[in-house]
Amino acid sequence: MSKTEALPLYERKHLKKIIPRLIELTILFLCFSLLGYRLLHLKNHGFIWLVALLCESWFTFIWILVVNIKWNPIAIKTYPERLLQRNLELPPLDMFVTTADPVLEPPIITVNTVISLLSMDYPANKLACYLSDDAASPLTYFCLVEASEFAKLWIPFCKKYNVPVRAPFRYFSDQSLFTGNSSSEFQEDWNIMKGEYTRLCQKIEEAAQKSVPCELTGDFAAFVDIDRRSHPTIIKVISENKEGLPDGLPPIVYISREKRPNHAHHFKAGAMNVLARVSGVMTNAPVMLNVDCDMFANNPQVVLHAMCLLLGVKDETDCGFVQFPQQFYDGLKDDPFGNQMVVMIKYLGRGLAGHQGPLYGGTGCFHRRKVIYGSSPEDKSGHGKMNIGDLEKTFGKSTKFNKFVAQALSSSSRTAESPESISKSIDEACQVASCGYEYGTSWGKEVGWIYGSTTEDALTGLNIHWRGWRTMWLTTNPKGFLGSAPSCGPNTLIQQKRWSTGLLEILFTPKSPFLGTLLGRLEFKQCLDYHYFLLWGPRSIFEICYAALPAYCILTNTNFLPKVNEPAILIPISIFVIFNTYCVSEYIQTNQSIKSWWNNHRMARIIAMTAWLCGFLSVIFKILRLSETVFEVTKKEQSSSIEDSDEKPGRFTFDNSPVFVPGTVILMVNLIALGIGLSSFIQRRGGQIEWGIGELVCSIWVVLCFWAFLKGLFEKGKYGIPSSTIYKSAALVFVFVQIYKSS
C-alpha cells in the first residue's frame, strides 16, 4: 500500500466545549430551581402560577433537548485530493432537481441549478441529471433545452479556467470571481460566455412573457392542451452522452410524472420516488444527489467531498447519506428575517453529527441508492436475496426495473450495472412513472421517500435512522450548496408553517421516533434530537401562553414572577441574563452581529407564535378529519438584494394570511396591558399594585419582539397589517379582555 492510499479520505474531530457545557448545565440547574420554587409556592398563587409552571416545565424540557444535541459536537474534514490520487473508479451519480411551479420557482433559477450540477469537477460520463417538473410546464422544458445548449459551451469554459462558481448567474454577477486571470484569451472567452448567458436569459425572459413559450410541435407536442393536474407521463431525453466522454455534456432528462385527479400524488415525496425509479431504469447510479431547484452547487468539488465519506468509511453503516447544510447567498445584512440559520448550522449541525447523524434536510444530500431502496446495514446481500415475487411486491411489476433494483441492492457504492441506453429506456421509464405503479407496493411505506408528512425529507431520514444507518454532516469551504432564503414576512412564515406542520405529522405516523427507539434501531439520543424539531408546533401553545401571562397579570393586578424584594427573583433574572449572553456569544463566534442575534431572537418568537401555531392547528384539524394539510410552495428569488428604490430591504411585509392574526393579538394584548398598567400605577401611586417590575419588563420585551407588527399597525400597503387582520385580532383581544374582567 502506498503512502497516499494509507492516508484517510476524511477525519472526524471531537470539538472541546467545556465552558459552553458548564453554561448549559447552569441554565438547566436554574430552570429546575425555578420549577422547584413554583411547586413550593403553587398553593399560594393558584391558576396563574400553574400556567407559568406548565410553560416553564415545557421550556426546561426543550432546553434538555438542546443540551442533548449540542453535548458532543463533531467536525468532519474531507480530502478530495487524496481521493483523486488513489486512482479509484469513481461511482456514477444521478442528480435530481425538483420544481413544482414556474411562477413561484422561475425557470432561470432552476436552469442555473442544473447548469451548476452539470459542470462540477466530476467525470461527465459518471453524471446524469434528472429534472422533475410537477407543473408539466412547456416553459420549464423549453428553458431546460436552451440551458443544455448553453452548457455545451459553459462546461469546457469552467474546466479550462477552473471557474470557482459554476452557476453562471453568480459567476457573472460577482467581479471577484474572475479578476485572478488577466490573459487576453481568458478575457475573450469570458466575453463570449457572458454574451451567451445574456442571450439565454433573454430567451427565457421572452418565453416567460408568452402564454406558450414556443410552437407546441415536435418534442413540444406532448404539452398541447396539457392540464397540470391530469396528464400522462412526459419523459424527454435532452442529452445522452452516448460516446461516454468524461469531459462532455452529461445526460439530461426531463420528467413530468403522470397525474390524475383520483390518484394521490404525495407532493415532493411522490416526485422523488418517480425520479428514483426512472433513474433506476435509465442510469441506475449507486449514489443519488437531490437538490431543490434554487440550491445550486457552489463548490465545484462538492461531489468529491461527499465521495470521500461514502467511499472512505470502513463500514457503510456509518454513512447512509451525506447531508450538506442549507446555506444562502446574498443574505440581507443582520439577517432581519432570522432564516439564514448560521448559528444553527454550526452548533446544532455539529451536535447532530455527534449522535446517529444529521436529519435529512431535503436538499444538498447524497444518498446511497440501496439505502433509499430500503436496505438495512446488516443486509449485505441485498434484502436477503429477494426472489422475483418479493421484488414485485416491494418495488412494483416492472421486470426491467426490478432487475436493476436487485443489482443496486447487492452492489457497493463503487459499482452498479447500468442500462445500455437511456433513450431506449423511455417506455419502461414511463411505466414506472405512472400514477398507479405504486399501488400494492412498499413505495412510500418502507422504500423510497416516505409518505405521511409534508416534510417528507425528515420522515425519510427518520426511516433511514430507524433501520440503524448512521449519517454524516459535512461543511466545506467554499460552501457546498447555496440557495435563496425568503426575503419577506409572508414567505418566511409560509415556509415555517409547512415545516412545523410536516414535522408534527411525523409524530402521528407509524415511523415516529419514539417507536423507532422501542421497535427499531434509532438511538435514544437521536430520538431526543428528532423531538426537538418535531415539537415545533406544540411549542407555539406554551410560547403564546407565556407571552400573554405578563399582560394578564397586569390587567388582573396579579403576578407570576417573584417580587423584587424576594431572593427568588434572582432565578428568572439569572436565566434571562445568562441565556441571552450565551446566545449572543454564539453569534459573535460565528462572525454575526449583535443585531443579527436580536433579529433571530425576535423572529423566533414571531415564528413560534404565528407560523408554528398555524402548523399545529393544521395537524389538529387533520387528526379530527376536518381538513387535509396542504403543501405550500415557497416563492424562490434569485437574489435577496433589492434594486427597486420602492423596496425597503429587511422591512417586514404582511398579507391577508391568517398566520398574522396570533402575532397581532399578542401585540395588542400587551399594549393594552401596558396602557392600563401605567394608568393604574399613576392612580394608585404604586400602593396597591401586585404586579411588579418583572411583569412590566416581560410585557415590554414581548412588544419589542413584535415591533415589526407594531409598525405594521400604522403602515400602508404591503408594509401594513391588512384591516381584515386587525379586525379579527381586535375581536380576539376583546374576548381576552372579557376573560380578565370576569377573573
Side-chain angles (χ1 to χ4, degrees):
M1 181 183 292
S2 67
K3 184 177 180 181
T4 301
E5 292 176 338
L7 294 173
L9 296 178
Y10 73 95
E11 292 178 350
R12 286 166 56 97
K13 181 180 180 182
H14 291 265
L15 304 175
K16 295 181 179 179
K17 48 165 293 180
I18 297 174
I19 294 177
R21 280 181 180 174
L22 290 175
I23 296 173
E24 291 161 7
L25 291 177
T26 299
I27 295 173
L28 185 60
F29 171 76
L30 290 170
C31 288
F32 278 119
S33 299
L34 182 59
L35 295 181
Y37 174 77
R38 291 277 185 211
L39 288 170
L40 291 174
H41 297 82
L42 184 61
K43 62 181 181 180
N44 300 325
H45 294 84
F47 178 73
I48 296 298
W49 278 50
L50 176 60
V51 173
L53 174 64
L54 293 175
C55 292
E56 289 159 0
S57 298
W58 178 265
F59 300 148
T60 302
F61 170 65
I62 295 299
W63 185 246
I64 291 173
L65 298 183
V66 172
V67 173
N68 172 69
I69 293 176
K70 298 167 71 173
W71 192 255
N72 186 35
I74 295 290
I76 295 178
K77 181 175 176 56
T78 49
Y79 300 95
E81 67 279 1
R82 296 178 184 176
L83 177 64
L84 295 175
Q85 290 169 0
R86 290 188 180 185
N87 295 318
L88 296 174
E89 180 70 19
L90 296 173
L93 173 69
D94 287 339
M95 305 176 292
F96 304 153
V97 181
T98 52
T99 183
D101 191 315
V103 176
L104 295 177
E105 300 172 329
I108 188 62
I109 296 178
T110 303
V111 299
N112 266 280
T113 296
V114 170
I115 292 169
S116 73
L117 296 176
L118 297 173
S119 54
M120 292 187 295
D121 289 340
Y122 206 72
N125 57 348
K126 299 286 186 178
L127 297 175
C129 184
Y130 295 83
L131 174 71
S132 171
D133 176 20
D134 260 4
S137 168
L139 173 62
T140 301
Y141 177 58
F142 170 83
C143 295
L144 191 61
V145 172
E146 294 297 326
S148 68
E149 294 300 317
F150 172 79
K152 292 176 182 178
L153 304 174
W154 176 251
I155 293 174
F157 173 78
C158 291
K159 302 295 176 65
K160 181 178 180 180
Y161 296 107
N162 194 25
V163 171
V165 175
R166 305 294 165 88
F169 88 98
R170 289 293 294 171
Y171 179 69
F172 291 119
S173 65
D174 190 342
Q175 295 288 332
S176 65
L177 295 176
F178 52 86
T179 54
N181 194 327
S182 58
S183 68
S184 58
E185 182 184 12
F186 169 76
Q187 294 294 336
E188 182 181 352
D189 288 348
W190 186 91
N191 288 328
I192 292 173
M193 291 309 308
K194 173 68 172 177
E196 291 293 335
Y197 181 65
T198 301
R199 281 187 284 275
L200 173 65
C201 293
Q202 290 173 345
K203 285 182 180 180
I204 291 176
E205 185 177 351
E206 291 171 359
Q209 293 173 351
K210 301 176 183 178
S211 58
V212 178
C214 61
E215 291 187 15
L216 300 182
T217 58
D219 278 347
F220 289 86
F223 296 96
V224 175
D225 297 327
I226 196 163
D227 181 353
R228 63 184 296 177
R229 298 176 185 84
S230 180
H231 63 84
T233 300
I234 302 173
I235 297 180
K236 301 288 184 181
V237 179
I238 297 174
S239 71
E240 192 167 353
N241 193 10
K242 292 182 178 179
E243 299 81 8
L245 300 175
D247 56 352
L249 178 65
I252 305 173
V253 181
Y254 170 92
I255 303 170
S256 185
R257 57 187 170 131
E258 181 184 15
K259 283 189 177 180
R260 300 300 176 192
N262 57 338
H263 287 76
H265 59 83
H266 301 293
F267 310 114
K268 182 181 175 181
M272 293 302 301
N273 282 334
V274 168
L275 285 168
R277 294 195 296 271
V278 170
S279 65
V281 168
M282 290 187 161
T283 48
N284 198 38
V287 182
M288 304 181 292
L289 161 68
N290 90 279
V291 296
D292 288 341
C293 65
D294 67 321
M295 195 67 63
F296 66 87
N298 180 66
N299 187 332
Q301 293 194 323
V302 66
V303 180
L304 296 175
H305 283 284
M307 291 301 174
C308 286
L309 299 181
L310 292 166
L311 303 179
V313 291
K314 295 180 180 179
D315 187 346
E316 286 186 345
T317 304
D318 293 330
C319 189
F321 62 74
V322 178
Q323 178 66 62
F324 283 77
Q326 290 192 44
Q327 296 173 290
F328 308 99
Y329 61 88
D330 283 353
L332 294 172
K333 184 181 179 181
D334 298 322
D335 195 9
F337 298 105
N339 54 15
Q340 294 174 26
M341 301 186 293
V342 176
V343 172
M344 177 182 287
I345 287 170
K346 179 174 181 179
Y347 292 101
L348 295 189
R350 289 179 172 180
L352 290 168
H355 293 164
Q356 202 170 344
L359 283 64
Y360 170 34
T363 182
C365 189
F366 290 81
H367 294 276
R368 298 185 192 273
R369 183 178 288 271
K370 67 179 185 180
V371 174
I372 289 295
Y373 283 175
S375 176
S376 297
E378 68 278 3
D379 204 358
K380 304 298 183 182
S381 59
H383 264 18
K385 295 183 179 180
M386 300 171 70
N387 58 40
I388 295 176
D390 291 335
L391 285 170
E392 290 185 350
K393 184 177 180 180
T394 304
F395 297 99
K397 298 187 180 299
S398 170
T399 302
K400 185 175 182 180
F401 174 62
N402 286 339
K403 170 188 173 184
F404 292 116
V405 166
Q407 292 171 354
L409 289 171
S410 60
S411 301
S412 70
S413 293
R414 299 176 189 270
T415 59
E417 183 178 343
S418 59
E420 296 179 358
S421 172
I422 293 177
S423 56
K424 292 180 180 179
S425 304
I426 291 180
D427 290 341
E428 199 73 26
C430 287
Q431 178 190 348
V432 299
S434 63
C435 58
Y437 183 80
E438 294 182 352
Y439 286 133
T441 71
S442 296
W443 285 101
K445 302 170 186 174
E446 297 296 333
V447 302
W449 277 256
I450 307 301
Y451 304 149
S453 168
T454 52
T455 52
E456 77 299 320
D457 43 15
L459 182 53
T460 301
L462 174 57
N463 187 45
I464 292 171
H465 285 133
W466 176 300
R467 297 199 303 270
W469 292 96
R470 305 182 73 84
T471 57
M472 288 194 170
W473 176 260
L474 183 58
T475 58
T476 58
N477 185 20
K479 297 171 182 175
F481 298 91
L482 290 178
S484 58
S487 60
C488 65
N491 288 347
T492 298
L493 297 186
I494 285 173
Q495 185 182 66
Q496 290 286 339
K497 177 191 172 186
R498 185 179 75 242
W499 289 349
S500 63
T501 300
L503 290 170
L504 184 56
E505 285 176 320
I506 294 174
L507 281 179
F508 300 97
T509 67
K511 294 293 183 181
S512 73
F514 179 72
L515 294 177
T517 301
L518 290 179
L519 307 176
R521 299 176 63 186
L522 186 72
E523 296 175 2
F524 178 69
K525 288 183 179 180
Q526 190 75 10
C527 174
L528 295 180
D529 295 343
Y530 270 102
H531 278 93
Y532 171 77
F533 297 97
L534 269 54
L535 292 173
W536 279 359
R539 282 171 65 177
S540 63
I541 302 300
F542 298 95
E543 292 251 5
I544 287 176
C545 290
Y546 212 66
L549 268 182
Y552 185 84
C553 288
I554 293 173
L555 291 173
T556 57
N557 194 27
T558 56
N559 69 296
F560 79 102
L561 291 172
K563 297 292 184 65
V564 176
N565 59 353
E566 297 179 24
I569 190 64
L570 294 176
I571 300 176
I573 290 176
S574 298
I575 293 173
F576 180 84
V577 172
I578 296 174
F579 173 77
N580 285 295
T581 303
Y582 176 58
C583 291
V584 169
S585 70
E586 289 187 329
Y587 278 82
I588 293 175
Q589 290 172 32
T590 53
N591 300 317
Q592 304 292 298
S593 65
I594 293 179
K595 187 175 181 180
S596 178
W597 160 77
W598 169 248
N599 286 334
N600 276 264
H601 174 80
R602 67 176 180 83
M603 281 303 301
R605 306 285 71 75
I606 290 173
I607 289 169
M609 295 184 228
T610 57
W612 290 0
L613 176 64
C614 291
F616 175 74
L617 294 176
S618 295
V619 175
I620 296 300
F621 291 154
K622 177 182 178 181
I623 293 173
L624 298 176
R625 301 184 183 275
L626 298 177
S627 68
E628 288 294 325
T629 53
V630 178
F631 188 93
E632 299 173 277
V633 178
T634 306
K635 184 178 180 180
K636 306 297 191 302
E637 303 167 11
Q638 193 170 70
S639 177
S640 300
S641 59
I642 308 295
E643 298 179 358
D644 190 341
S645 59
D646 294 333
E647 295 288 335
K648 302 176 182 178
R651 285 290 303 277
F652 208 90
T653 56
F654 301 86
D655 59 19
N656 289 310
S657 171
V659 75
F660 294 104
V661 172
T664 308
V665 170
I666 288 295
L667 172 66
M668 288 181 169
V669 165
N670 279 278
L671 287 174
I672 291 172
L674 288 172
I676 294 177
L678 179 61
S679 174
S680 299
F681 182 81
I682 294 173
Q683 292 176 5
R684 301 181 187 183
R685 299 185 181 275
Q688 302 175 359
I689 295 179
E690 293 295 327
W691 54 269
I693 190 68
E695 287 75 20
L696 181 65
V697 169
C698 287
S699 191
I700 293 174
W701 189 260
V702 172
V703 171
L704 290 175
C705 289
F706 283 86
W707 194 258
F709 281 67
L710 179 60
K711 291 195 290 186
L713 292 174
F714 304 100
E715 293 277 1
K716 300 295 182 182
K718 65 181 181 180
Y719 298 110
I721 300 175
S723 55
S724 59
T725 300
I726 295 176
Y727 296 149
K728 294 173 186 175
S729 303
L732 292 173
V733 170
F734 176 78
V735 173
F736 182 88
V737 172
Q738 294 303 311
I739 292 174
Y740 110 78
K741 284 184 177 181
S742 62
S743 299

